[in-house]
Amino acid sequence: MFGTIRKHQQWLWIVIIVIIIISFVVFFSPNVGMDRMGNVKGSFGSIDGQPISREEFSSAYKEAQLRFLFSYGSFPRQDEAARMGFDAEREARNRVFLNRLIQENKIEVPDEAVAQWLANALKDRRQRTFRVDSYDALLKRQLQPQGYSERDLEQFVRHEIGIQQLVAVYGLNGRLVPPQEAERQYRRENEQLQVSVVAFSSSNYLNRVIVNQTNLTQFYSNRLSAYRLPERVEVDYVKFDLTNYQAAGEQQMAKETNLTQRIDAIYQQQGPSFFTDTNGTVLAESEAKAKIREQALKEYVFRAAQLAAAEFAVAIGEMEGTPSATNLAAMAAQKQLVVKKSRPFGQFETPEGLRVPPTFGRTAFALTAEEPVSAPIPAEDGFYVIALTKRISSEVPTFESVRSKVEHDFRAQQASMFAREAGNAFHIQLTNGLAQNKDFASICQAASYKAVDLPAFSLSTSSLPESQGLADFSLLKSLAADLKPGTPSMFTSSRDGGFIVYLKSRTPVDENKLKAELPEYLSELRESRIYEAFNEWVSRQLTVARVSGPPVAAPEEKK
């Protein structure tokens, strides 16, 4: 296709750039298979033998983006999405599979249901009423500038409602939770546990490790696979740093004549309580709108850098002759851009000195001699266009070249072994002492181990800062919950050695608190069980659907 387009005028390239950036962001994602110009190539996989078309995947990708917008109030940016665990391509495949289930179950969503969904979603948070201007603002100021049409929005809503109908039908068994079961679970999750922890940190045993040439070479020989270097690549790259496009972003934002109205609409749509400072205090209206304006500017800066990177990639694609990695440097010289060279890195490694997402490595390894230059790769602080310059085969390094790492690993392994030996020995000493009616604290003191008393917690406690450096809190909770007062756990290994937890007491749930909170707890438990039942059903459908391509997961619980 690009061979034909090259014959047309330069203005056509600019149109294509804008379309690629705004309307079909998915086409710049390395995970779905692109050539260096951003063209989709290859297959999107199949479900039950039926291929997933480009149009179907693109539509589902848009729906995944809209799902993020309605959940968090803005379209996902690369850095924000990574922090929140949002993977657009994975979510798009989820939507493809679920949308096909909607069709198979012949679920039809009437226009009235779509209108009601939108009315609820766009309800003014202060007046609790639907405002038409909020809908118009969403459509004209948020969706259309990003390449989304009103039809895209309506289709997204229909599928959202369809998914909820699937949940209601196939998750029905989850609602069958008797109040007695909810009460038992509530009591277990909320009773207060008082524990002491004895930690055995491997760092305390490093001085017992004996290091010599024989030990190190034997350790190295036994772990050659651990030191084998993976296949690596080197790339040349041009970075389009966001800081270089601040002025361009400000210029573009200044051209938006309705920016103030858009900010006002977003503030009204989200409601004052949505905007808080780092302490959770609701911001004043002027501060909240300044925050919205700042985010809008970031989006303009992001687009400016994205457009510049896309134009650069397109210019490389237009160069005459056989595609070559040297074209990147040649075009950079023409445009007075700086080319840098990466250190060798593996497919699943972050190149030294670069703040780039995992897609950077995957993209680099997908490059070939025929397609040596990538499409722009979004990162936290800008965009990268890279060219493959060298492949390095997997190899086992010599002992001397990795001696310092071998010694570090050997010391860590030996120290952990000594910590485990000490922990298991003390556990025997502890259980014997308790059987003789000795006091826990006195047993620890006699063995010269420090027992740390933690504040009371329950299974519903999400974190406990005082446990840091002693034990993984989630593991500690589960161990303590299964103990009887006055008994210790087994010695439990951890990355830093291990620990023993001793349950001092259990405090039952306050009955008045139970009575007040149980109805809401029962409702939330039933809702959770509904999604569990639905996810089990989806998993069974996946088993028989013969899905090919990246794995598909059931949807997250609706927020």
Side-chain angles (χ1 to χ4, degrees):
M1 181 178 102
F2 276 91
T4 302
I5 295 179
R6 284 194 182 101
K7 299 176 182 177
H8 292 73
Q9 298 298 320
Q10 180 65 28
W11 65 265
L12 184 57
W13 282 104
I14 302 302
V15 173
I16 293 172
I17 291 169
V18 175
I19 292 174
I20 291 175
I21 289 178
I22 297 179
S23 300
F24 296 101
V25 180
V26 62
F27 296 165
F28 267 158
S29 172
N31 291 349
V32 294
M34 318 304 144
D35 62 20
R36 69 179 183 273
M37 302 308 302
N39 253 350
V40 177
K41 65 178 182 179
S43 170
F44 290 99
S46 63
I47 298 175
D48 207 15
Q50 297 296 316
I52 300 172
S53 69
R54 183 181 72 174
E55 291 75 18
E56 185 178 19
F57 187 87
S58 177
S59 177
Y61 187 95
K62 284 186 174 183
E63 291 185 23
Q65 300 279 321
L66 287 169
R67 178 73 153 78
F68 191 98
L69 171 67
F70 277 95
S71 295
Y72 303 106
S74 64
F75 282 107
R77 281 173 50 106
Q78 183 74 21
D79 53 344
E80 295 170 340
R83 285 198 305 270
M84 302 173 76
F86 177 80
D87 185 318
E89 283 126 28
R90 181 192 64 213
E91 294 302 323
R93 291 185 185 276
N94 290 351
R95 301 290 297 202
V96 170
F97 183 71
L98 293 170
N99 290 347
R100 289 193 181 186
L101 289 178
I102 291 171
Q103 293 177 345
E104 291 173 8
N105 284 267
K106 299 180 179 179
I107 295 176
E108 297 184 1
V109 179
D111 294 341
E112 293 78 6
V114 173
Q116 185 61 51
W117 192 98
L118 286 168
N120 289 333
L122 301 176
K123 187 180 295 183
D124 185 282
R125 297 197 177 192
R126 287 187 292 185
Q127 300 178 2
R128 311 299 296 172
T129 56
F130 171 69
R131 294 176 50 175
V132 176
D133 57 343
S134 295
Y135 176 79
D136 291 338
L138 171 70
L139 191 64
K140 297 178 182 178
R141 298 168 189 166
Q142 286 188 273
L143 301 187
Q144 290 178 352
Q146 296 291 334
Y148 293 83
S149 66
E150 188 170 22
R151 182 180 178 279
D152 292 329
L153 175 61
E154 291 178 2
Q155 180 171 276
F156 160 73
V157 174
R158 288 187 196 280
H159 286 158
E160 279 289 292
I161 297 172
I163 291 170
Q164 292 309 309
Q165 289 188 26
L166 287 174
V167 172
V169 173
Y170 294 103
L172 183 61
N173 289 340
R175 188 170 290 278
L176 306 178
V177 180
Q180 297 85 349
E181 180 183 347
E183 180 178 338
R184 286 194 299 272
Q185 186 162 320
Y186 180 91
R187 289 183 183 277
R188 174 174 168 78
E189 291 182 0
N190 290 278
E191 66 176 348
Q192 296 294 299
L193 306 175
Q194 189 79 50
V195 306
S196 290
V197 178
V198 181
F200 298 84
S201 174
S202 58
S203 60
N204 294 331
Y205 297 87
L206 285 170
N207 58 357
R208 293 178 53 183
V209 179
I210 298 175
V211 178
N212 55 48
Q213 184 74 7
T214 301
N215 289 341
L216 292 182
T217 54
Q218 184 64 48
F219 184 79
Y220 166 77
S221 297
N222 292 339
R223 292 164 52 87
L224 288 179
S225 61
Y227 297 107
R228 172 176 283 278
L229 296 174
E231 180 185 2
R232 289 155 293 153
V233 297
E234 292 180 1
V235 299
D236 287 347
Y237 64 88
V238 173
K239 180 183 178 182
F240 295 82
D241 198 300
L242 295 182
T243 58
N244 295 332
Y245 296 90
Q246 186 75 17
E250 291 173 350
Q251 290 175 4
Q252 289 300 313
M253 190 168 74
K255 296 178 181 178
E256 184 179 347
T257 57
N258 60 352
L259 178 62
T260 301
Q261 293 90 328
R262 182 159 72 96
I263 292 173
D264 291 342
I266 293 173
Y267 181 75
Q268 294 296 329
Q269 181 182 340
Q270 298 296 338
S273 61
F274 182 83
F275 302 96
T276 60
D277 60 17
T278 54
N279 297 320
T281 304
V282 176
L283 296 175
E285 182 174 342
S286 59
E287 294 176 321
K289 290 183 177 180
K291 193 173 182 180
I292 299 171
R293 185 184 183 88
E294 180 182 346
Q295 182 59 39
L297 177 58
K298 287 182 179 179
E299 292 174 359
Y300 274 108
V301 171
F302 192 81
R303 290 183 198 171
Q306 189 177 36
L307 181 59
E311 289 177 331
F312 180 67
V314 167
I316 294 174
E318 287 190 289
M319 295 177 71
E320 298 295 334
T322 304
S324 170
T326 59
N327 288 351
L328 181 137
M331 183 56 63
Q334 289 184 29
K335 294 182 175 291
Q336 297 183 325
L337 297 172
V338 176
V339 178
K340 294 184 178 181
K341 183 177 291 291
S342 75
R343 297 289 300 275
F345 62 93
Q347 183 173 359
F348 305 105
E349 298 173 348
T350 300
E352 183 180 331
L354 299 184
R355 296 164 56 193
V356 293
T359 50
F360 189 96
R362 294 198 295 268
T363 302
F365 271 75
L367 297 176
T368 64
E370 293 74 27
E371 293 285 351
V373 181
S374 77
I377 305 170
E380 183 177 340
D381 55 355
F383 287 82
Y384 290 79
V385 177
I386 66 176
L388 178 65
T389 57
K390 187 177 182 180
R391 285 188 181 272
I392 306 171
S393 300
S394 174
E395 61 181 337
V396 177
T398 64
F399 169 75
E400 290 302 328
S401 68
V402 291
R403 180 189 176 95
S404 60
K405 177 172 174 55
V406 172
E407 182 173 339
H408 176 273
D409 294 347
F410 177 75
R411 288 182 180 276
Q413 187 215 50
Q414 292 292 297
S416 293
M417 180 186 70
F418 291 142
R420 290 194 299 271
E421 290 176 350
N424 285 317
F426 178 68
H427 181 264
I428 295 173
Q429 184 179 349
L430 178 59
T431 53
N432 289 339
L434 292 173
Q436 298 169 14
N437 294 321
K438 292 182 180 180
D439 179 70
F440 171 75
S442 63
I443 297 172
C444 294
Q445 186 176 10
S448 299
Y449 290 118
K450 181 182 179 180
V452 179
D453 293 334
L454 296 180
F457 60 86
S458 70
L459 283 175
S460 62
T461 303
S462 59
S463 64
L464 193 70
E466 293 82 357
S467 69
Q468 292 182 4
L470 297 174
D472 176 80
F473 183 57
S474 296
L475 181 56
L476 186 151
K477 281 194 302 182
S478 63
L479 289 171
D482 292 333
L483 295 175
K484 295 179 180 179
T487 61
S489 70
M490 298 290 291
F491 171 77
T492 303
S493 297
S494 67
R495 294 180 60 184
D496 188 43
F499 64 94
I500 294 172
V501 57
Y502 174 79
L503 181 62
K504 300 171 67 175
S505 65
R506 293 176 181 269
T507 303
V509 173
D510 179 84
E511 294 299 321
N512 290 329
K513 183 180 179 182
L514 169 67
K515 184 177 180 180
E517 296 183 357
L518 187 59
E520 182 179 355
Y521 181 84
L522 175 59
S523 176
E524 292 176 353
L525 181 60
R526 285 173 173 169
E527 187 77 10
S528 175
R529 294 284 180 84
I530 286 172
Y531 275 91
E532 288 178 11
F534 176 69
N535 286 346
E536 290 178 4
W537 176 77
V538 170
S539 296
R540 292 195 297 271
Q541 301 308 303
L542 282 170
T543 301
V544 300
R546 295 181 294 137
V547 177
S548 69
V552 181
E556 63 180 28
E557 188 170 327
K558 184 179 180 182
K559 291 178 170 55

